[in-house]
């Protein structure tokens, strides 16, 4: 029996076709699951928030935001705070990263460890230490120099948030500087370019996406932070604290949604501008994998100013966290500095133990879920999706662009009732909760 070429090839191609169909079906199933998860954790809370802000009460608050001078001042305070934290945090992170990667000095491991310390501590702990050190009765301002400094308001918030969030910019920019090919700098230097010209024409354009991404993240963190405005904000009111007080103090969810919407608009606008600008300004290196390492800068005119800035900020970070550590062993930091272990007894054996257990469990549950979901989104966007890759990437990154306070209020509005989901009744209401008819109420 003689087989034709097509008949001989048919058995070999059939398993491949079946395997490809199974692979396509699994990808489609995974896309549906990830899309539903993104809808539940990002889309539906934001839609519910927009619906509450678009109600009659929400529209009235939105109108007052743009006509009431007090509300206009709150909006201005929020934008100014976000810009200051974004710019200063990105600059500090860049200076630390540049010193770590490009300068020649001893103690780089210690500097890297010191730059990572703020990321493991809550920001309000820094705020408490700053008040203890630089407040009206601060240990440094009043105790050493005799100053009556007022750290509350915009200056204190900028200091605390910048010191708390600059490690994010540091890690991002440091990774980009380490990935640059040193042959680019060598080629520019071979053409006669000086150190500054190489930096502004070669190095800086290549790390623009890292700078823009760091600014975006720090801007969003600055306008969304809630704990520090409540602790050290003073009379400098921002939208996050105003929305929080509207929900928890005034029990006005529509007003909270309206204020949250105002926070959401600049955050998403900066996010869209950053994505568009970086895509237009993208720089691609075609030299392959970087080989070797960049020549470290030994010039004193460059090293001394940068290391002086890094040293001052590092000393400030050390003093602040030493104050946090020492404050746990004194009764009232800055007021009554006698030694005590009552705070640790309260945390480990008292009412604080439940808070520690809840916080630890929350982190243990959320971290793996977030890591797996991010990995799946990245795999689908880069490897599998074509037309819908941009949409899934946008929705996945929207969780980063949306301030946490806004998303939290959206969750409260969307899932405040455990018996409803997406507006549908999951469990029957109890007899007491059911609305009575007009006739029954009259009788």
């Amino acid at each position: 029996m003689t087989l034709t070429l097509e008949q001989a090839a048919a058995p070999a191609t059939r398993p491949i076709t079946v395997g490809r169909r199974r692979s396509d079906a699994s990808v489609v199933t995974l896309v549906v699951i990830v899309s539903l998860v993104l809808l539940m954790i990002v889309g539906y809370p934001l839609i519910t928030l927009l619906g509450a802000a678009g109600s009659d009460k929400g529209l009235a608050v939105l109108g007052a935001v743009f006509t009431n001078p007090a509300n206009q001042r709150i909006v201005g305070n929020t934008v100014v705070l976000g810009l200051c934290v974004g710019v200063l945090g990105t600059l500090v992170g860049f200076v630390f990263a540049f010193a770590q990667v490009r300068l020649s000095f001893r103690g780089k491991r210690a500097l890297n460890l010191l730059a990572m310390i703020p990321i493991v501590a809550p920001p309000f702990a820094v705020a408490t230490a700053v008040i203890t050190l630089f407040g009206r009765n601060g240990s440094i301002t009043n105790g050493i120099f005799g100053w009556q400094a007022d750290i509350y308001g915009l200056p204190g918030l900028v200091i605390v948030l910048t010191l708390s969030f600059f490690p994010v910019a540091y890690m991002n920019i440091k990774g980009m500087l380490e990935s640059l090919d040193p042959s680019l700098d060598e080629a520019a230097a071979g053409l006669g370019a000086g150190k500054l010209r190489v930096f502004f024409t070669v190095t800086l354009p290549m790390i623009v996406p890292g700078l823009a991404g760091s600014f975006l993240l720090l801007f969003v963190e600055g306008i969304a932070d809630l704990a520090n405005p409540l602790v050290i904000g003073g009379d400098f009111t921002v939208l996050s604290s105003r929305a929080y007080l509207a929900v928890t103090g005034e029990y006005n969810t529509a007003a909270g949604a309206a204020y949250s919407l105002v926070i959401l608009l600049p955050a998403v606008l900066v996010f869209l501008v950053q994505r568009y600008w970086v895509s237009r300004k993208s720089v691609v290196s075609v030299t392959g994998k970087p080989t070797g390492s960049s020549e470290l800068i030994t010039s004193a005119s460059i090293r001394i100013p940068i290391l002086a800035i890094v040293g001052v900020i590092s000393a400030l970070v050390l003093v602040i966290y030493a104050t946090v550590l020492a404050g746990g062993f004194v009764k009232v930091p800055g007021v009554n500095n006698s030694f005590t272990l009552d705070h640790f007894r309260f945390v480990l054996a008292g009412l604080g133990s439940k808070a520690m257990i809840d916080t630890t469990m929350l982190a243990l549950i959320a971290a793996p879920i977030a890591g797996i979901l991010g990995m799946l989104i990245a795999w689908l966007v880069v490897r599998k999706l074509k037309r819908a890759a941009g949409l899934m990437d946008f929705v996945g990154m929207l969780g980063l662009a949306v301030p946490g306070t806004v998303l939290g209020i959206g969750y409260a509005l969307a899932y405040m009732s455990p018996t409803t989901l997406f507006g549908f009744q999951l469990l029957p209401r109890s007899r007491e909760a059911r609305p009575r008819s007009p006739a029954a109420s009259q009788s």
Side-chain angles (χ1 to χ4, degrees):
M1 180 177 179
T2 304
L3 296 176
T4 63
L5 182 61
E6 291 79 9
Q7 292 174 339
T13 58
R14 184 176 180 181
I16 298 177
T17 304
V18 173
R20 184 176 300 174
R21 289 178 180 177
R22 291 178 179 177
S23 176
D24 293 341
S26 62
V27 170
V28 171
T29 303
L30 188 60
V31 169
V32 172
I33 294 175
V34 172
S35 300
L36 289 177
V37 173
L38 289 177
L39 177 63
M40 292 183 63
I41 66 177
V42 178
Y44 182 59
L46 291 181
I47 293 173
T48 307
L49 181 73
L50 294 176
S55 63
D56 294 338
K57 294 182 179 180
L59 291 176
V61 174
L62 284 175
V65 167
F66 299 101
T67 58
N68 191 313
N71 289 331
Q72 291 176 353
R73 185 172 62 254
I74 293 174
V75 175
N77 292 345
T78 305
V79 175
V80 170
L81 178 62
L83 292 176
C84 291
V85 173
V87 172
L88 292 178
T90 303
L91 288 177
V92 173
F94 169 75
V95 171
F96 270 72
F98 188 82
Q100 182 72 21
V101 177
R102 294 300 179 91
L103 297 187
S104 175
F105 67 97
R106 295 181 179 179
K108 287 192 173 184
R109 292 184 179 179
L111 178 63
N112 182 66
L113 178 62
L114 186 63
M116 300 300 295
I117 289 178
I119 206 169
V120 301
F124 62 84
V126 181
T128 305
V130 167
I131 293 174
T132 303
L133 295 172
F134 306 105
R136 297 185 179 97
N137 295 316
S139 302
I140 294 179
T141 54
N142 188 32
I144 298 178
F145 297 101
W147 298 341
Q148 290 292 330
D150 188 4
I151 199 67
Y152 296 93
L154 180 61
L157 284 173
V158 172
I159 293 174
V160 170
L161 294 178
T162 300
L163 292 178
S164 300
F165 297 136
F166 87 86
V168 178
Y170 164 74
M171 291 188 296
N172 192 10
I173 300 172
K174 177 176 175 290
M176 297 198 70
L177 287 174
E178 290 175 340
S179 64
L180 294 182
D181 194 340
S183 62
L184 300 175
D185 295 348
E186 296 173 0
L191 294 174
K195 295 289 185 181
L196 290 178
R197 186 172 180 83
V198 171
F199 171 76
F200 285 106
T201 59
V202 178
T203 305
L204 191 60
M206 294 291 289
I207 63 173
V208 162
L211 295 174
S214 300
F215 171 79
L216 162 70
L217 183 58
L218 268 63
F219 177 85
V220 174
E221 293 291 341
I223 67 174
D225 188 73
L226 177 61
N228 289 294
L230 295 178
V231 174
I232 200 173
D235 59 354
F236 190 84
T237 307
V238 293
L239 285 169
S240 59
S241 58
R242 184 67 187 91
Y244 173 78
L245 293 176
V247 174
T248 60
E250 302 172 2
Y251 303 101
N252 191 344
T253 56
Y259 289 120
S260 300
L261 179 61
V262 180
I263 305 175
L264 181 64
L265 291 178
V268 175
L269 179 62
V270 171
F271 174 67
L272 294 176
V273 170
Q274 182 262 347
R275 286 175 65 92
Y276 173 78
W277 184 62
V278 170
S279 64
R280 300 275 293 182
K281 293 286 184 178
S282 61
V283 180
V284 180
S285 173
V286 294
T287 57
K289 184 179 180 179
T291 57
S293 58
S294 300
E295 181 182 359
L296 298 180
I297 298 175
T298 58
S299 175
S301 60
I302 299 177
R303 290 174 65 251
I304 292 178
I306 295 179
L307 291 180
I309 297 174
V310 171
V312 171
I313 298 176
S314 300
L316 181 60
V317 172
L318 277 176
V319 171
I320 286 177
Y321 284 97
T323 304
V324 173
L325 180 62
F329 296 93
V330 298
K331 289 187 176 181
V332 182
V335 178
N336 185 355
N337 295 323
S338 58
F339 180 81
T340 182
L341 294 176
D342 292 341
H343 307 308
F344 292 94
R345 294 191 186 97
F346 174 81
V347 171
L348 298 177
L351 298 177
S353 60
K354 185 179 184 303
M356 290 189 61
I357 294 174
D358 293 343
T359 303
T360 304
M361 291 300 299
L362 178 63
L364 292 176
I365 294 173
I369 295 176
I372 294 174
L373 182 61
M375 181 183 64
L376 291 177
I377 294 174
W379 180 70
L380 290 174
V381 169
V382 175
R383 293 295 183 89
K384 295 300 179 180
L385 297 181
K386 294 181 180 180
R387 296 180 180 179
L391 178 60
M392 179 167 287
D393 180 56
F394 174 78
V395 177
M397 291 293 294
L398 197 61
L400 178 65
V402 175
T405 305
V406 175
L407 203 57
I409 294 177
Y411 271 78
L413 294 174
Y415 303 113
M416 66 172 57
S417 175
T419 61
T420 60
L421 181 65
F422 297 102
F424 295 98
Q425 196 75 24
L426 298 180
L427 298 176
R429 295 180 180 179
S430 62
R431 181 174 299 178
E432 291 79 5
R434 293 177 182 174
R436 302 174 63 186
S437 63
S441 57
Q442 290 178 1
S443 60

